[in-house]
Amino acid sequence: MDNQLLRKNAKKDMKGFWGKAILLILILMIISATLSQLGSKLTNKSLLQSIQVSQLGDDDIPNIITASVKSTYLSIEGLISLLITALTKVFVLGISWGLLGIVNNSITGDFKSLSFETLISPFNANFIKNFLSIIIKMIVGIAYFLFIIPGIVLSMALMPVDFLLKDKPELSLGETFRESFRLMKGRKMKLFTLLLPVYLIVFLVLAIPSGIIIYKLISQQELLIYVLLLILAGIVITFYYPIKIGILKSEFYRRELVPIVDDAAYCDESQFMGDN
């Protein structure tokens, strides 16, 4: 199936679901903020405990004690931050499963709607495997910062992992990653070109206000326009980007990689001509 048809499928399938998807992201933001506050309190508590322990040391070695306290604090802070980020991504995984459910619904009619249960579904099914898969993908994500091109290629190769966790829970964690690589062999460029227009939209939305502030001093009359552009950028990054990317990945996975049934009739391009 060509990418243009996948995009049309995504647009059609998301009709009536944008509001619910945005609501789930708002709930996710509240959960993320709550977890961050909890992490901050735990980190501060661990710092106080470290200071209390340090006060038991010899007065002749204050520098060593101070260094030890800082090292312990940074280690605990980093670990708590990693765990909170991973927990937040478990909820994101739930949204991905919900978007896949929307695509399934368009083919088989076996999915009711997006709900809070969608958000927490990864906690109810093989949570440990889901959590570990996210940790592994976060570590692999370092490739983005070290090697841009290999990082992009690797992210494309790992795209099916989230959906395989839902579709094939009987696979072990290692088998899930191997199956992901197998499915994406020879298809990574196609997925990248499918997602590229969304990446470009986000880039332009961010580049325009950034360009204004860099190349031109903003007058008082232009300040309102600049603020509106920033609000637009925030909306695009917070809501449009994750939902659009998520539904496109779901369409690619279900219709290109692991189809449920032959949905050729549904995907007949002539069907969409009347919708536009």
Side-chain angles (χ1 to χ4, degrees), residues 26 28 44 69 110 120 141-142 151 163 175 182 206 217 265 267:
L26 288 172
L28 175 61
N44 291 336
V69 170
D110 63 351
I120 64 174
I142 297 174
F163 303 120
E175 289 170 339
R182 186 190 70 79
L206 291 176
L217 293 177
C267 298

Side-chain angles (χ1 to χ4, degrees), residues 107-138:
I107 300 172
T108 66
D110 63 351
F111 182 75
K112 294 182 179 180
S113 181
L114 294 175
S115 64
F116 183 73
E117 291 181 1
T118 305
L119 201 62
I120 64 174
S121 56
F123 289 90
N124 299 327
N126 296 316
F127 168 72
I128 298 299
K129 187 172 74 170
N130 298 335
F131 186 78
L132 289 177
S133 73
I134 288 171
I135 294 291
I136 293 173
K137 290 182 69 175
M138 287 172 60

Side-chain angles (χ1 to χ4, degrees), residues 12 25 29 34 37 61 66 100 102 106 109 111 120-121 146 148-149 164 167 190 196 203 212 217 228 246:
K12 181 179 178 65
I25 290 180
M29 292 171 64
T34 303
Q37 287 292 326
I61 51 173
T66 301
L100 180 63
I102 291 174
S106 70
F111 182 75
I120 64 174
S121 56
L146 299 180
I148 301 299
I149 301 302
L164 288 170
D167 249 8
K190 183 175 183 179
L196 184 59
F203 173 78
I212 291 176
L217 293 177
L228 290 176

